[in-house]
Amino acid sequence: MTPPRIFLSPPHLGGDEERLVAEAFASNYIAPVGPMLGAFEAEVAARTGIPHAVALSSGTAAIHLALKLALDQASPPPDGHPAVVIASSLTFVGSVGPAVHERCEVRLIDADADSWTLDPNLLDAELTECRDAGRSVAAVIPTDLYGQCCDLARIRSVCDRFSVPVICDAAESMGAEYREPDGAMRHAGWGAWAAVFSFNGNKIITTSGGGMLASHDRRIVERARHLATQAREPAPWYEHHEVGFNYRMSNLLAAVGRGQLRVLDDRVRRKREIFAVYRERLAGRPGIGFMPEAPWGRSTRWLTVIQIDPGSARADPEAVRRALEAENIEARPVWKPMHLQPAFAACRFRSAACGVETGAEA
């Protein structure tokens, strides 16, 4: 008999979701409008400390809207050159796909060893080169990885010197924290020009599908809200002065999100406990290492990530994955870096080991 499947990151209901969804049904607001949306946005703002937020259909939609707004305020690119967007290479395609849709030039940055997130030193070098070449950089999009914050304080400091906005892809790090220079611990994404969160079905909390765009600047969020609702003007008829998007979250999903948010701290605690069990039971095994916790933050350990040295462990990662699959246990490789993806083969990639190259050369 096949044992029940153990999923990598299944959703967990906290108990209030069903009641809140019933309230949404009772209100008859089941479309992308209704009281649950405003309540969910306010509660996410309170939880993260980022005062303004708009609930959207996905984290990718949130990145797309944030990037469009950054492009609107960016310096016009030189004739014949697209605007540059600099992003993490070790990420999900949703982080960088919107830059391609907006016809930007994507430049990818390698991770540092302390966090596996975008290396601020390499970012500084890339921004310097862009400035010296007269290239317009619309945004930097660092990715928080597997529940761990990027070094957002340093990244902001670097970007501030070049007057480039930071769109923090915090899709994987709801509930995580990082340390500001004054020692204060802040929620993932806090302090960025815009922060993006995901509530996809496998995230630490979920709305089944959905995302959030948050910012300290009310104007960014209100502009995103307008574009997300087909850029409809406040008229009795459907009036459009520009073309927008159908990117708003539904009231029903916002109800689920409110219930999930109430158990976020329990989810973080449990994820960290699971990581501790793996680390204890695999301690001393040759060829096994773990994703580090950055010295500047506290990871949620959304996913427990290990490194396997085939020579010492006498098994490669794919053999381990297949062995787990044979027991009906889901496991996956870490993200395949964007500079190794065929879709981004022509992009510049900067690393400490190899300098600057294109994905085709890597």
Side-chain angles (χ1 to χ4, degrees):
M1 182 176 178
T2 303
R5 186 157 180 77
I6 298 175
F7 290 99
L8 183 66
S9 183
H12 293 84
L13 297 181
D16 282 346
E17 294 89 350
E18 188 173 356
R19 177 181 61 80
L20 290 164
V21 169
E23 286 182 19
F25 271 112
S27 73
N28 208 31
Y29 283 105
I30 62 171
V33 64
M36 289 293 173
L37 273 170
F40 186 36
E41 290 164 352
E43 288 164 8
V44 168
R47 180 64 176 78
T48 62
I50 307 173
H52 309 291
V54 56
L56 302 167
S57 57
S58 68
T60 304
I63 290 176
H64 188 194
L65 290 179
L67 181 58
K68 283 190 71 68
L69 299 182
L71 286 164
D72 286 346
Q73 72 168 24
S75 300
D79 290 344
H81 293 291
V84 172
V85 172
I86 300 174
S88 305
S89 183
L90 187 56
T91 188
F92 174 62
V93 70
S95 298
V96 291
V100 176
H101 293 311
E102 290 298 317
R103 301 183 184 278
C104 299
E105 178 188 334
V106 176
R107 298 191 177 191
L108 300 166
I109 303 294
D110 204 358
D112 65 30
D114 287 337
S115 68
W116 298 9
T117 65
L118 186 144
D119 187 325
N121 295 321
L122 297 175
L123 173 63
D124 195 332
E126 190 65 31
L127 284 169
T128 299
E129 191 163 321
C130 286
R131 181 199 60 198
D132 293 347
R135 297 301 305 275
S136 174
V137 180
V140 168
I141 309 177
T143 297
D144 295 345
L145 198 69
Y146 300 129
Q148 175 144 271
C149 295
C150 63
D151 194 352
L152 185 54
R154 282 193 64 203
I155 290 170
R156 287 196 339 254
S157 178
V158 170
C159 289
D160 285 349
R161 290 194 289 105
F162 296 89
S163 299
V164 174
V166 177
I167 300 171
C168 184
D169 179 1
E172 301 177 12
S173 61
M174 191 71 190
E177 296 178 312
Y178 77 95
R179 184 175 291 104
E180 282 284 300
D182 63 3
M185 296 298 289
R186 300 292 188 183
H187 191 278
W190 188 95
W193 184 80
V196 169
F197 302 100
S198 172
F199 306 112
N200 192 31
N202 65 346
K203 295 297 188 289
I204 195 164
I205 62 171
T206 181
T207 58
S208 81
M212 191 80 71
L213 174 60
S215 178
H216 297 267
D217 188 337
R218 178 188 295 274
R219 295 168 300 178
I220 293 171
V221 169
E222 290 307 312
R223 176 69 175 149
R225 191 188 311 276
H226 175 66
L227 290 175
T229 50
Q230 299 286 20
R232 182 183 177 184
E233 298 296 326
W237 54 86
Y238 285 91
E239 178 82 6
H240 303 276
H241 297 174
E242 59 187 320
V243 177
F245 304 90
N246 185 16
Y247 276 175
R248 200 75 161 100
M249 181 185 285
S250 83
N251 197 56
L252 293 180
L253 297 190
V256 176
R258 293 186 68 199
Q260 289 274 288
L261 192 60
R262 294 173 186 182
V263 295
L264 175 58
D265 290 338
D266 291 339
R267 296 286 178 269
V268 173
R269 175 186 54 78
R270 182 59 183 144
K271 291 289 188 178
R272 290 180 64 86
E273 287 175 353
I274 291 169
F275 173 83
V277 169
Y278 275 104
R279 184 168 56 187
E280 177 185 350
R281 295 189 178 183
L282 293 175
R285 298 293 179 93
I288 303 294
F290 289 87
M291 180 179 180
E293 184 165 57
W296 58 77
R298 182 175 186 269
S299 172
T300 65
R301 298 295 187 183
W302 167 50
L303 298 179
T304 293
V305 186
I306 66 171
Q307 287 179 302
I308 300 174
D309 177 357
S312 301
R314 293 184 296 178
D316 63 30
E318 178 58 14
V320 172
R321 190 196 67 79
R322 289 198 306 268
L324 290 169
E325 188 61 40
E327 301 296 329
N328 213 17
I329 299 169
E330 184 182 21
R332 295 182 187 176
V334 298
W335 298 122
K336 181 178 180 179
M338 291 299 105
H339 72 280
L340 299 179
Q341 299 281 359
F344 297 93
C347 292
R348 279 171 57 101
F349 170 62
R350 183 180 291 270
S351 70
C354 301
V356 177
E357 55 190 349
T358 66
E361 296 167 342

